Amino acid sequence: MSTPVYTYRRSPALYRLARALRVLSAVVLVLLILFTVSVVYSTAQLSHDPPQVGSFSAGFDTNATMILAGSLTLSNPGYYPIDGLTLVAKVDNATGGYLGAFAFGPESLSGQTTDQIPINLYLPVSATGAGASLLTHSQILQVALWGNATFGYLFPAGIALNQSRSWGAPFDHLNVSVGEPTPNGSLPVTISFENQASLAEQGSLSTAVVASDGISCGSAGWTLNVATGQSFSQTQDIALTPGCSPAGGSVVSAYVTTGYTVPLPPEAIP
């Protein structure tokens, strides 16, 4: 009886290629699923740690300009980098008056890192307008933040949020009161305020009594050395120019120190 002979025959090349492609496709599919799950997880982590704007501190610059100095903290707790990050923020005062805006980017932020970006808003300060409220009213500023980026190399992402941040005014509750003219032709003027800003006020208050026709009737100066949290209240008799009536006019003041002069809101004289 003869022994059977078995002959091994390889599968056709096309069949082997198709089988390899099926295996490769399955592997790629699994990797894509894992990648997508990890991106979703990382995105969820981002939503729990959005950008944060720190409290603003006060500063002054030349040409009657106030500096709002703060910081923007960006965190990426996920596994993948954030690329092409651009952010824009708008700052309003407590009554909705527009104060200024700042922009950041485009920048990249690696995975599982945190970065802190300095913010400096330079605001022209006049005696009127939204910026004037920063001088005399401690308040809550509204920061609207929005931006765009690419996350996980492929996925576009957007952000929009609103945050509230406290502001301490350097001349909080500024009050200028005027008494009755004295027999010797002077006008008692009392100035009071509290320094709620993060800087000490060292310099002077230059004050003028201005008649209704715009002519100055007299002026005086107050020396200032007011630390953060301290109050100021002083009265001076301002000598009036003979024949110059302050009735219906105003008291105009400005904070003067080395390098800059900041006008303060005028106070009407009854």
Side-chain angles (χ1 to χ4, degrees), residues 59-77:
F60 293 105
D61 202 358
T62 57
N63 300 322
T65 301
M66 177 174 284
I67 305 172
L68 272 67
S71 63
L72 175 66
T73 302
L74 300 171
S75 297
N76 180 9

Side-chain angles (χ1 to χ4, degrees), residues 69-225:
S71 63
L72 175 66
T73 302
L74 300 171
S75 297
N76 180 9
Y79 301 123
Y80 302 100
I82 299 174
D83 297 314
L85 175 63
T86 58
L87 293 172
V88 177
K90 178 173 72 77
V91 183
D92 294 337
N93 67 7
T95 60
Y98 174 76
L99 296 176
F102 65 89
F104 167 77
E107 295 289 342
S108 296
L109 188 63
S110 302
Q112 299 184 325
T113 59
T114 297
D115 198 5
Q116 193 170 66
I117 312 300
I119 297 172
N120 288 308
L121 290 178
Y122 294 87
L123 309 176
V125 177
S126 63
T128 59
S133 71
L134 298 178
L135 296 172
T136 58
H137 293 84
S138 295
Q139 57 192 287
I140 301 298
L141 303 182
Q142 303 300 322
V143 183
L145 182 71
W146 62 94
N148 295 284
T150 299
F151 184 67
Y153 308 104
L154 299 173
F155 301 95
I159 185 173
L161 54 90
N162 293 284
Q163 297 183 350
S164 300
R165 290 295 176 264
S166 61
W167 166 260
F171 300 95
D172 190 42
H173 290 92
L174 174 68
N175 182 61
V176 180
S177 59
V178 177
E180 294 293 330
T182 63
N184 63 357
S186 62
L187 185 71
V189 175
T190 301
I191 294 182
S192 63
F193 63 87
E194 185 174 348
N195 180 12
Q196 291 292 337
S198 57
L199 53 81
E201 294 164 348
Q202 295 178 327
S204 64
L205 277 179
S206 175
T207 301
V209 176
V210 181
S212 58
D213 57 4
I215 297 176
S216 177
C217 293
S219 61
W222 279 258
T223 300
L224 295 184
N225 186 11

Side-chain angles (χ1 to χ4, degrees), residues 10-29:
R10 295 186 63 188
S11 302
L14 188 59
Y15 175 82
R16 296 196 306 272
L17 178 60
R19 184 173 60 183
L21 289 175
R22 286 196 297 270
V23 173
L24 180 60
S25 297
V27 171
V28 170
L29 179 60

